[in-house]
mmCIF file of all heavy atoms in Angstrom:
data_model
loop_
_atom_site.group_PDB
_atom_site.id
_atom_site.type_symbol
_atom_site.label_atom_id
_atom_site.label_comp_id
_atom_site.label_asym_id
_atom_site.label_seq_id
_atom_site.Cartn_x
_atom_site.Cartn_y
_atom_site.Cartn_z
ATOM 1 N N MET A 225 0.813 -1.224 -0.004
ATOM 2 C CA MET A 225 0.008 -0.049 -0.045
ATOM 3 C C MET A 225 0.853 1.164 0.022
ATOM 4 O O MET A 225 1.920 1.239 0.631
ATOM 5 C CB MET A 225 -0.863 -0.020 1.212
ATOM 6 C CG MET A 225 -2.210 0.715 0.948
ATOM 7 S SD MET A 225 -3.243 0.681 2.478
ATOM 8 C CE MET A 225 -2.820 -0.776 3.276
ATOM 9 N N ASN A 227 2.025 5.209 0.645
ATOM 10 C CA ASN A 227 1.966 6.078 1.855
ATOM 11 C C ASN A 227 1.399 7.378 1.519
ATOM 12 O O ASN A 227 1.856 8.366 2.208
ATOM 13 C CB ASN A 227 3.455 6.123 2.395
ATOM 14 C CG ASN A 227 3.813 4.790 2.946
ATOM 15 O OD1 ASN A 227 3.092 4.141 3.654
ATOM 16 N ND2 ASN A 227 5.076 4.349 2.673
ATOM 17 N N ARG A 228 0.597 7.523 0.470
ATOM 18 C CA ARG A 228 0.240 8.885 0.179
ATOM 19 C C ARG A 228 -0.669 9.497 1.158
ATOM 20 O O ARG A 228 -0.867 10.664 1.098
ATOM 21 C CB ARG A 228 -0.399 8.866 -1.196
ATOM 22 C CG ARG A 228 0.495 8.570 -2.298
ATOM 23 C CD ARG A 228 0.021 8.949 -3.714
ATOM 24 N NE ARG A 228 -0.708 7.749 -4.256
ATOM 25 C CZ ARG A 228 -1.985 7.787 -4.705
ATOM 26 N NH1 ARG A 228 -2.615 8.951 -4.630
ATOM 27 N NH2 ARG A 228 -2.436 6.690 -5.263
ATOM 28 N N TRP A 229 -1.394 8.593 1.855
ATOM 29 C CA TRP A 229 -2.483 9.174 2.595
ATOM 30 C C TRP A 229 -2.150 9.302 4.045
ATOM 31 O O TRP A 229 -2.710 8.822 4.970
ATOM 32 C CB TRP A 229 -3.769 8.234 2.521
ATOM 33 C CG TRP A 229 -3.340 6.834 2.523
ATOM 34 C CD1 TRP A 229 -2.875 6.113 1.313
ATOM 35 C CD2 TRP A 229 -3.399 5.886 3.510
ATOM 36 N NE1 TRP A 229 -2.557 4.811 1.714
ATOM 37 C CE2 TRP A 229 -2.982 4.667 3.012
ATOM 38 C CE3 TRP A 229 -3.830 5.881 4.767
ATOM 39 C CZ2 TRP A 229 -2.994 3.525 3.794
ATOM 40 C CZ3 TRP A 229 -3.859 4.815 5.577
ATOM 41 C CH2 TRP A 229 -3.514 3.649 5.109
ATOM 42 N N ARG A 234 -2.360 17.340 12.581
ATOM 43 C CA ARG A 234 -1.404 17.248 13.702
ATOM 44 C C ARG A 234 -1.553 18.624 14.522
ATOM 45 O O ARG A 234 -1.451 19.658 14.049
ATOM 46 C CB ARG A 234 0.014 17.202 13.154
ATOM 47 C CG ARG A 234 0.490 15.785 13.086
ATOM 48 C CD ARG A 234 1.964 15.635 12.624
ATOM 49 N NE ARG A 234 2.866 16.351 13.491
ATOM 50 C CZ ARG A 234 3.198 15.641 14.746
ATOM 51 N NH1 ARG A 234 2.806 14.527 15.048
ATOM 52 N NH2 ARG A 234 4.105 16.382 15.433
ATOM 53 N N THR A 236 -0.290 20.864 17.823
ATOM 54 C CA THR A 236 0.863 21.041 18.721
ATOM 55 C C THR A 236 0.731 20.365 19.922
ATOM 56 O O THR A 236 -0.155 20.698 20.834
ATOM 57 C CB THR A 236 1.221 22.470 19.000
ATOM 58 O OG1 THR A 236 -0.030 23.059 19.355
ATOM 59 C CG2 THR A 236 1.716 23.233 17.743
ATOM 60 N N ASP A 238 2.107 18.487 23.530
ATOM 61 C CA ASP A 238 3.156 18.589 24.407
ATOM 62 C C ASP A 238 4.337 17.567 24.140
ATOM 63 O O ASP A 238 5.476 17.937 24.488
ATOM 64 C CB ASP A 238 2.703 18.421 25.866
ATOM 65 C CG ASP A 238 1.912 19.654 26.402
ATOM 66 O OD1 ASP A 238 2.042 20.681 25.749
ATOM 67 O OD2 ASP A 238 1.302 19.559 27.339
ATOM 68 N N LYS A 239 4.001 16.512 23.457
ATOM 69 C CA LYS A 239 5.060 15.477 23.237
ATOM 70 C C LYS A 239 6.063 16.120 22.162
ATOM 71 O O LYS A 239 7.223 15.637 22.218
ATOM 72 C CB LYS A 239 4.383 14.262 22.722
ATOM 73 C CG LYS A 239 3.925 13.415 23.825
ATOM 74 C CD LYS A 239 3.887 11.958 23.434
ATOM 75 C CE LYS A 239 3.442 11.809 21.861
ATOM 76 N NZ LYS A 239 2.011 12.088 21.664
ATOM 77 N N ASP A 244 11.552 17.918 20.433
ATOM 78 C CA ASP A 244 12.502 19.075 20.076
ATOM 79 C C ASP A 244 13.515 19.037 21.134
ATOM 80 O O ASP A 244 14.738 19.460 20.755
ATOM 81 C CB ASP A 244 11.604 20.353 20.090
ATOM 82 C CG ASP A 244 10.726 20.513 18.933
ATOM 83 O OD1 ASP A 244 11.046 19.781 17.863
ATOM 84 O OD2 ASP A 244 9.884 21.466 18.756
ATOM 85 N N GLY A 248 17.547 18.318 19.897
ATOM 86 C CA GLY A 248 18.380 19.608 19.841
ATOM 87 C C GLY A 248 19.880 19.225 19.650
ATOM 88 O O GLY A 248 20.386 18.446 20.158
ATOM 89 N N ARG A 249 20.520 20.020 18.628
ATOM 90 C CA ARG A 249 21.803 19.690 18.217
ATOM 91 C C ARG A 249 22.615 20.997 18.206
ATOM 92 O O ARG A 249 22.103 22.010 17.817
ATOM 93 C CB ARG A 249 21.924 19.154 16.853
ATOM 94 C CG ARG A 249 21.241 17.792 16.719
ATOM 95 C CD ARG A 249 22.092 16.696 17.231
ATOM 96 N NE ARG A 249 21.539 15.383 17.063
ATOM 97 C CZ ARG A 249 20.773 14.680 17.859
ATOM 98 N NH1 ARG A 249 20.414 15.295 19.023
ATOM 99 N NH2 ARG A 249 20.266 13.502 17.636
ATOM 100 N N PRO A 251 25.780 22.738 16.457
ATOM 101 C CA PRO A 251 26.916 22.635 15.460
ATOM 102 C C PRO A 251 28.150 23.062 16.245
ATOM 103 O O PRO A 251 28.256 24.154 16.685
ATOM 104 C CB PRO A 251 26.499 23.462 14.355
ATOM 105 C CG PRO A 251 25.554 24.557 14.980
ATOM 106 C CD PRO A 251 24.862 23.741 16.061
ATOM 107 N N TYR A 269 37.453 19.709 13.345
ATOM 108 C CA TYR A 269 36.531 18.726 13.220
ATOM 109 C C TYR A 269 35.110 19.254 13.546
ATOM 110 O O TYR A 269 35.022 19.836 14.532
ATOM 111 C CB TYR A 269 36.901 17.490 14.086
ATOM 112 C CG TYR A 269 36.152 16.315 13.852
ATOM 113 C CD1 TYR A 269 36.538 15.478 12.646
ATOM 114 C CD2 TYR A 269 35.121 15.854 14.487
ATOM 115 C CE1 TYR A 269 35.863 14.322 12.269
ATOM 116 C CE2 TYR A 269 34.483 14.697 14.181
ATOM 117 C CZ TYR A 269 34.807 13.906 13.113
ATOM 118 O OH TYR A 269 34.133 12.725 12.819
ATOM 119 N N TYR A 270 34.210 19.050 12.518
ATOM 120 C CA TYR A 270 32.836 19.457 12.701
ATOM 121 C C TYR A 270 31.884 18.314 13.115
ATOM 122 O O TYR A 270 31.964 17.356 12.460
ATOM 123 C CB TYR A 270 32.378 20.235 11.432
ATOM 124 C CG TYR A 270 33.323 21.417 11.039
ATOM 125 C CD1 TYR A 270 34.270 21.331 10.120
ATOM 126 C CD2 TYR A 270 32.880 22.651 11.499
ATOM 127 C CE1 TYR A 270 35.172 22.355 9.825
ATOM 128 C CE2 TYR A 270 33.761 23.684 11.219
ATOM 129 C CZ TYR A 270 34.865 23.625 10.400
ATOM 130 O OH TYR A 270 35.584 24.624 10.203
ATOM 131 N N LEU A 272 27.762 17.590 14.902
ATOM 132 C CA LEU A 272 26.386 18.059 15.582
ATOM 133 C C LEU A 272 26.342 17.361 16.827
ATOM 134 O O LEU A 272 26.276 16.155 16.966
ATOM 135 C CB LEU A 272 25.243 17.725 14.713
ATOM 136 C CG LEU A 272 24.916 18.540 13.495
ATOM 137 C CD1 LEU A 272 23.806 17.917 12.697
ATOM 138 C CD2 LEU A 272 24.750 19.988 13.747
ATOM 139 N N ARG A 275 22.275 18.263 22.368
ATOM 140 C CA ARG A 275 22.217 19.060 23.617
ATOM 141 C C ARG A 275 22.141 18.268 24.858
ATOM 142 O O ARG A 275 22.498 18.704 25.999
ATOM 143 C CB ARG A 275 21.091 20.074 23.444
ATOM 144 C CG ARG A 275 21.384 21.329 22.705
ATOM 145 C CD ARG A 275 20.135 22.113 22.652
ATOM 146 N NE ARG A 275 20.466 23.525 22.302
ATOM 147 C CZ ARG A 275 20.793 24.464 23.215
ATOM 148 N NH1 ARG A 275 20.746 24.186 24.493
ATOM 149 N NH2 ARG A 275 20.929 25.688 22.797
ATOM 150 N N LYS A 285 34.693 10.258 18.123
ATOM 151 C CA LYS A 285 35.124 10.642 16.788
ATOM 152 C C LYS A 285 36.202 11.775 16.832
ATOM 153 O O LYS A 285 37.155 11.819 16.086
ATOM 154 C CB LYS A 285 33.905 11.107 15.860
ATOM 155 C CG LYS A 285 33.012 9.984 15.568
ATOM 156 C CD LYS A 285 31.880 10.520 14.775
ATOM 157 C CE LYS A 285 30.769 9.496 14.500
ATOM 158 N NZ LYS A 285 29.720 10.131 13.785
ATOM 159 N N GLN A 445 -2.173 27.128 44.071
ATOM 160 C CA GLN A 445 -1.798 27.555 42.767
ATOM 161 C C GLN A 445 -0.520 26.900 42.261
ATOM 162 O O GLN A 445 0.338 26.552 43.018
ATOM 163 C CB GLN A 445 -1.549 29.166 42.833
ATOM 164 C CG GLN A 445 -2.813 29.878 43.044
ATOM 165 C CD GLN A 445 -2.700 31.220 42.395
ATOM 166 O OE1 GLN A 445 -1.819 31.525 41.745
ATOM 167 N NE2 GLN A 445 -3.701 32.052 42.671
ATOM 168 N N HIS A 475 17.566 24.898 27.465
ATOM 169 C CA HIS A 475 17.568 24.351 26.108
ATOM 170 C C HIS A 475 17.625 25.306 25.088
ATOM 171 O O HIS A 475 16.971 25.266 24.141
ATOM 172 C CB HIS A 475 16.372 23.417 25.924
ATOM 173 C CG HIS A 475 16.395 22.222 26.815
ATOM 174 N ND1 HIS A 475 17.263 21.257 26.674
ATOM 175 C CD2 HIS A 475 15.534 21.811 27.771
ATOM 176 C CE1 HIS A 475 17.032 20.320 27.616
ATOM 177 N NE2 HIS A 475 15.989 20.602 28.298
ATOM 178 N N GLY A 476 18.375 26.452 25.366
ATOM 179 C CA GLY A 476 18.463 27.503 24.288
ATOM 180 C C GLY A 476 17.307 28.361 24.184
ATOM 181 O O GLY A 476 17.349 29.184 23.247
ATOM 182 N N ILE A 477 16.208 28.279 24.931
ATOM 183 C CA ILE A 477 15.162 29.130 24.863
ATOM 184 C C ILE A 477 14.895 29.825 26.177
ATOM 185 O O ILE A 477 15.333 29.311 27.276
ATOM 186 C CB ILE A 477 13.913 28.472 24.360
ATOM 187 C CG1 ILE A 477 13.345 27.386 25.426
ATOM 188 C CG2 ILE A 477 14.076 27.756 22.953
ATOM 189 C CD1 ILE A 477 11.979 27.006 25.208
ATOM 190 N N GLU A 478 14.108 30.954 26.164
ATOM 191 C CA GLU A 478 13.808 31.742 27.392
ATOM 192 C C GLU A 478 12.284 31.497 27.643
ATOM 193 O O GLU A 478 11.521 32.169 27.149
ATOM 194 C CB GLU A 478 14.098 33.117 27.259
ATOM 195 C CG GLU A 478 15.576 33.409 27.158
ATOM 196 C CD GLU A 478 15.754 34.970 26.910
ATOM 197 O OE1 GLU A 478 15.574 35.720 27.966
ATOM 198 O OE2 GLU A 478 15.924 35.431 25.799
ATOM 199 N N PRO A 484 4.353 27.230 34.301
ATOM 200 C CA PRO A 484 4.381 26.422 35.479
ATOM 201 C C PRO A 484 5.649 25.532 35.533
ATOM 202 O O PRO A 484 6.034 24.776 34.571
ATOM 203 C CB PRO A 484 3.131 25.615 35.499
ATOM 204 C CG PRO A 484 2.299 26.266 34.257
ATOM 205 C CD PRO A 484 3.188 26.996 33.362
ATOM 206 N N THR B 740 0.009 36.217 37.990
ATOM 207 C CA THR B 740 -0.016 34.711 37.926
ATOM 208 C C THR B 740 -0.943 34.144 36.919
ATOM 209 O O THR B 740 -0.722 33.073 36.434
ATOM 210 C CB THR B 740 -0.433 34.190 39.351
ATOM 211 O OG1 THR B 740 -0.035 35.170 40.308
ATOM 212 C CG2 THR B 740 0.101 32.831 39.637
ATOM 213 N N PHE B 741 -1.918 34.853 36.598
ATOM 214 C CA PHE B 741 -2.872 34.380 35.595
ATOM 215 C C PHE B 741 -3.077 35.367 34.529
ATOM 216 O O PHE B 741 -3.896 36.096 34.434
ATOM 217 C CB PHE B 741 -4.242 34.116 36.284
ATOM 218 C CG PHE B 741 -4.200 32.874 37.164
ATOM 219 C CD1 PHE B 741 -3.878 33.071 38.541
ATOM 220 C CD2 PHE B 741 -4.333 31.666 36.647
ATOM 221 C CE1 PHE B 741 -3.826 32.105 39.391
ATOM 222 C CE2 PHE B 741 -4.289 30.604 37.537
ATOM 223 C CZ PHE B 741 -4.053 30.804 38.830
ATOM 224 N N SER B 792 -6.697 25.510 43.752
ATOM 225 C CA SER B 792 -6.779 26.773 43.021
ATOM 226 C C SER B 792 -7.799 26.497 41.866
ATOM 227 O O SER B 792 -7.983 25.293 41.455
ATOM 228 C CB SER B 792 -5.506 27.218 42.427
ATOM 229 O OG SER B 792 -5.171 26.378 41.180
ATOM 230 N N TRP B 813 2.491 31.186 27.578
ATOM 231 C CA TRP B 813 3.682 30.615 27.738
ATOM 232 C C TRP B 813 4.043 29.418 26.946
ATOM 233 O O TRP B 813 5.109 29.112 26.496
ATOM 234 C CB TRP B 813 4.004 30.270 29.283
ATOM 235 C CG TRP B 813 2.967 29.383 29.989
ATOM 236 C CD1 TRP B 813 1.906 29.841 30.733
ATOM 237 C CD2 TRP B 813 3.012 28.051 29.843
ATOM 238 N NE1 TRP B 813 1.227 28.639 31.196
ATOM 239 C CE2 TRP B 813 1.843 27.544 30.674
ATOM 240 C CE3 TRP B 813 3.726 26.952 29.270
ATOM 241 C CZ2 TRP B 813 1.505 26.257 30.919
ATOM 242 C CZ3 TRP B 813 3.382 25.620 29.395
ATOM 243 C CH2 TRP B 813 2.260 25.282 30.181
ATOM 244 N N ARG B 814 2.918 28.695 26.707
ATOM 245 C CA ARG B 814 3.046 27.389 25.982
ATOM 246 C C ARG B 814 3.311 27.647 24.517
ATOM 247 O O ARG B 814 4.306 27.156 23.901
ATOM 248 C CB ARG B 814 1.781 26.605 26.083
ATOM 249 C CG ARG B 814 1.846 25.160 25.507
ATOM 250 C CD ARG B 814 0.641 24.437 25.841
ATOM 251 N NE ARG B 814 0.697 23.144 25.305
ATOM 252 C CZ ARG B 814 0.269 22.803 24.071
ATOM 253 N NH1 ARG B 814 -0.030 23.826 23.226
ATOM 254 N NH2 ARG B 814 0.399 21.578 23.539
ATOM 255 N N GLN B 820 9.695 29.383 20.353
ATOM 256 C CA GLN B 820 11.077 29.443 20.585
ATOM 257 C C GLN B 820 11.808 28.179 20.191
ATOM 258 O O GLN B 820 12.978 28.290 19.635
ATOM 259 C CB GLN B 820 11.392 29.885 21.997
ATOM 260 C CG GLN B 820 11.003 31.253 22.433
ATOM 261 C CD GLN B 820 11.562 31.675 23.790
ATOM 262 O OE1 GLN B 820 12.689 31.229 24.068
ATOM 263 N NE2 GLN B 820 10.868 32.332 24.444
ATOM 264 N N ARG B 824 14.832 28.035 17.725
ATOM 265 C CA ARG B 824 16.047 27.480 18.172
ATOM 266 C C ARG B 824 16.571 26.555 17.065
ATOM 267 O O ARG B 824 17.766 26.447 16.645
ATOM 268 C CB ARG B 824 15.978 26.850 19.457
ATOM 269 C CG ARG B 824 17.275 26.382 20.014
ATOM 270 C CD ARG B 824 17.178 25.238 21.106
ATOM 271 N NE ARG B 824 16.702 23.987 20.425
ATOM 272 C CZ ARG B 824 16.486 22.977 21.305
ATOM 273 N NH1 ARG B 824 16.720 22.962 22.534
ATOM 274 N NH2 ARG B 824 16.200 21.788 20.576
ATOM 275 N N ARG B 827 17.740 28.018 14.026
ATOM 276 C CA ARG B 827 19.110 28.808 14.312
ATOM 277 C C ARG B 827 20.178 27.900 14.390
ATOM 278 O O ARG B 827 21.255 28.062 13.760
ATOM 279 C CB ARG B 827 18.906 29.669 15.559
ATOM 280 C CG ARG B 827 19.980 30.510 16.037
ATOM 281 C CD ARG B 827 19.692 31.207 17.202
ATOM 282 N NE ARG B 827 19.553 30.510 18.439
ATOM 283 C CZ ARG B 827 18.533 30.479 19.218
ATOM 284 N NH1 ARG B 827 17.449 31.165 18.942
ATOM 285 N NH2 ARG B 827 18.447 29.849 20.388
ATOM 286 N N GLU B 828 20.041 26.851 15.110
ATOM 287 C CA GLU B 828 21.155 25.921 15.415
ATOM 288 C C GLU B 828 21.482 24.862 14.471
ATOM 289 O O GLU B 828 22.431 24.192 14.432
ATOM 290 C CB GLU B 828 21.066 25.435 16.890
ATOM 291 C CG GLU B 828 20.957 26.486 17.869
ATOM 292 C CD GLU B 828 20.809 25.978 19.378
ATOM 293 O OE1 GLU B 828 20.590 24.777 19.487
ATOM 294 O OE2 GLU B 828 21.016 26.712 20.267
ATOM 295 N N TYR B 835 26.650 18.793 8.777
ATOM 296 C CA TYR B 835 27.596 18.272 9.871
ATOM 297 C C TYR B 835 27.252 16.870 10.123
ATOM 298 O O TYR B 835 26.168 16.462 10.051
ATOM 299 C CB TYR B 835 27.508 19.114 11.085
ATOM 300 C CG TYR B 835 28.166 20.398 11.159
ATOM 301 C CD1 TYR B 835 28.499 21.202 9.949
ATOM 302 C CD2 TYR B 835 28.695 20.944 12.296
ATOM 303 C CE1 TYR B 835 29.122 22.468 9.926
ATOM 304 C CE2 TYR B 835 29.295 22.229 12.363
ATOM 305 C CZ TYR B 835 29.449 22.935 11.155
ATOM 306 O OH TYR B 835 30.042 24.152 11.292
ATOM 307 N N GLU B 836 28.363 16.189 10.540
ATOM 308 C CA GLU B 836 28.174 14.816 10.938
ATOM 309 C C GLU B 836 27.428 14.652 12.322
ATOM 310 O O GLU B 836 27.709 15.514 13.116
ATOM 311 C CB GLU B 836 29.629 14.298 11.097
ATOM 312 C CG GLU B 836 29.636 12.752 10.991
ATOM 313 C CD GLU B 836 31.209 12.277 11.230
ATOM 314 O OE1 GLU B 836 32.040 13.183 10.914
ATOM 315 O OE2 GLU B 836 31.504 11.164 11.780
ATOM 316 N N GLN B 837 26.619 13.701 12.336
ATOM 317 C CA GLN B 837 25.904 13.407 13.746
ATOM 318 C C GLN B 837 27.045 12.801 14.652
ATOM 319 O O GLN B 837 27.778 11.977 14.240
ATOM 320 C CB GLN B 837 24.821 12.385 13.578
ATOM 321 C CG GLN B 837 23.548 13.026 12.823
ATOM 322 C CD GLN B 837 22.759 14.048 13.642
ATOM 323 O OE1 GLN B 837 23.031 14.153 14.869
ATOM 324 N NE2 GLN B 837 21.819 14.648 13.069
ATOM 325 N N ALA B 838 26.939 13.162 15.947
ATOM 326 C CA ALA B 838 27.834 12.630 16.866
ATOM 327 C C ALA B 838 27.561 11.110 17.082
ATOM 328 O O ALA B 838 28.469 10.414 17.401
ATOM 329 C CB ALA B 838 27.775 13.355 18.091
ATOM 330 N N GLU B 840 25.954 7.719 15.788
ATOM 331 C CA GLU B 840 25.469 6.910 14.587
ATOM 332 C C GLU B 840 24.141 6.189 14.900
ATOM 333 O O GLU B 840 24.108 5.603 15.908
ATOM 334 C CB GLU B 840 26.663 5.902 14.191
ATOM 335 C CG GLU B 840 27.845 6.501 13.689
ATOM 336 C CD GLU B 840 27.771 7.235 12.496
ATOM 337 O OE1 GLU B 840 26.800 7.182 11.798
ATOM 338 O OE2 GLU B 840 28.739 8.114 12.110
ATOM 339 N N ARG B 955 4.176 2.867 7.985
ATOM 340 C CA ARG B 955 3.208 3.447 7.100
ATOM 341 C C ARG B 955 3.153 4.859 7.182
ATOM 342 O O ARG B 955 2.189 5.573 6.625
ATOM 343 C CB ARG B 955 1.896 2.860 7.410
ATOM 344 C CG ARG B 955 1.764 1.366 6.980
ATOM 345 C CD ARG B 955 0.487 0.787 7.447
ATOM 346 N NE ARG B 955 0.435 -0.692 7.232
ATOM 347 C CZ ARG B 955 -0.089 -1.235 6.090
ATOM 348 N NH1 ARG B 955 -0.608 -0.481 5.274
ATOM 349 N NH2 ARG B 955 -0.116 -2.515 5.970
ATOM 350 N N ARG B 956 3.948 5.537 7.988
ATOM 351 C CA ARG B 956 4.021 7.008 8.068
ATOM 352 C C ARG B 956 2.714 7.497 8.622
ATOM 353 O O ARG B 956 2.116 8.560 8.202
ATOM 354 C CB ARG B 956 4.377 7.745 6.872
ATOM 355 C CG ARG B 956 5.733 7.462 6.299
ATOM 356 C CD ARG B 956 5.751 7.954 4.968
ATOM 357 N NE ARG B 956 7.152 8.039 4.422
ATOM 358 C CZ ARG B 956 7.801 6.898 3.901
ATOM 359 N NH1 ARG B 956 7.118 5.848 3.751
ATOM 360 N NH2 ARG B 956 9.062 7.158 3.469
ATOM 361 N N GLN B 958 0.654 8.886 11.859
ATOM 362 C CA GLN B 958 1.019 9.461 13.099
ATOM 363 C C GLN B 958 -0.123 10.500 13.461
ATOM 364 O O GLN B 958 -0.862 10.962 12.526
ATOM 365 C CB GLN B 958 2.284 10.380 13.025
ATOM 366 C CG GLN B 958 2.995 10.772 14.236
ATOM 367 C CD GLN B 958 4.104 11.627 14.067
ATOM 368 O OE1 GLN B 958 4.354 12.172 12.942
ATOM 369 N NE2 GLN B 958 4.722 12.054 15.037
ATOM 370 N N GLU B 979 -7.461 4.537 8.020
ATOM 371 C CA GLU B 979 -7.527 5.688 7.063
ATOM 372 C C GLU B 979 -7.847 5.174 5.628
ATOM 373 O O GLU B 979 -7.168 4.361 5.015
ATOM 374 C CB GLU B 979 -6.056 6.331 6.975
ATOM 375 C CG GLU B 979 -5.676 7.006 8.300
ATOM 376 C CD GLU B 979 -6.644 8.138 8.825
ATOM 377 O OE1 GLU B 979 -7.238 8.765 7.942
ATOM 378 O OE2 GLU B 979 -6.657 8.300 9.975
ATOM 379 N N GLU B 983 -8.691 4.916 -3.299
ATOM 380 C CA GLU B 983 -8.970 3.793 -4.094
ATOM 381 C C GLU B 983 -10.033 2.873 -3.503
ATOM 382 O O GLU B 983 -10.525 1.989 -4.072
ATOM 383 C CB GLU B 983 -7.798 2.889 -4.374
ATOM 384 C CG GLU B 983 -6.828 3.495 -5.432
ATOM 385 C CD GLU B 983 -5.984 4.610 -4.753
ATOM 386 O OE1 GLU B 983 -5.946 4.619 -3.441
ATOM 387 O OE2 GLU B 983 -5.359 5.460 -5.518
ATOM 388 N N GLN B 995 -6.804 -5.124 2.568
ATOM 389 C CA GLN B 995 -5.550 -4.408 2.579
ATOM 390 C C GLN B 995 -5.587 -3.225 3.475
ATOM 391 O O GLN B 995 -4.659 -2.515 3.642
ATOM 392 C CB GLN B 995 -5.111 -3.873 1.181
ATOM 393 C CG GLN B 995 -4.682 -5.004 0.342
ATOM 394 C CD GLN B 995 -4.232 -4.535 -1.021
ATOM 395 O OE1 GLN B 995 -3.977 -3.421 -1.253
ATOM 396 N NE2 GLN B 995 -4.057 -5.476 -1.928
ATOM 397 N N LEU B 1040 4.777 7.497 23.825
ATOM 398 C CA LEU B 1040 4.915 8.343 22.603
ATOM 399 C C LEU B 1040 3.885 8.059 21.528
ATOM 400 O O LEU B 1040 3.649 8.969 20.682
ATOM 401 C CB LEU B 1040 6.266 8.037 22.011
ATOM 402 C CG LEU B 1040 7.224 8.422 23.225
ATOM 403 C CD1 LEU B 1040 8.519 7.726 23.123
ATOM 404 C CD2 LEU B 1040 7.427 9.945 23.304
ATOM 405 N N SER B 1042 0.924 7.852 21.834
ATOM 406 C CA SER B 1042 -0.351 8.216 22.411
ATOM 407 C C SER B 1042 -0.345 9.765 22.628
ATOM 408 O O SER B 1042 0.753 10.340 22.964
ATOM 409 C CB SER B 1042 -0.631 7.511 23.670
ATOM 410 O OG SER B 1042 -1.747 8.003 24.314
#
Side-chain angles (χ1 to χ4, degrees):
Chain A
M225 211 181 329
N227 291 320
R228 288 196 268 131
W229 38 282
R234 266 182 65 80
T236 51
D238 283 349
K239 280 206 321 291
D244 280 354
R249 297 283 185 267
Y269 193 74
Y270 297 92
L272 286 173
R275 271 179 164 272
K285 288 177 183 175
Q445 288 205 14
H475 295 293
I477 67 166
E478 292 180 78
Chain B
T740 327
F741 290 93
S792 80
W813 56 261
R814 188 174 179 276
Q820 287 194 34
R824 184 202 73 178
R827 183 173 72 233
E828 296 181 351
Y835 279 30
E836 198 180 334
Q837 290 283 355
E840 296 291 343
R955 288 174 186 265
R956 296 171 166 83
Q958 195 187 9
E979 295 298 333
E983 287 78 17
Q995 289 184 11
L1040 303 155
S1042 175

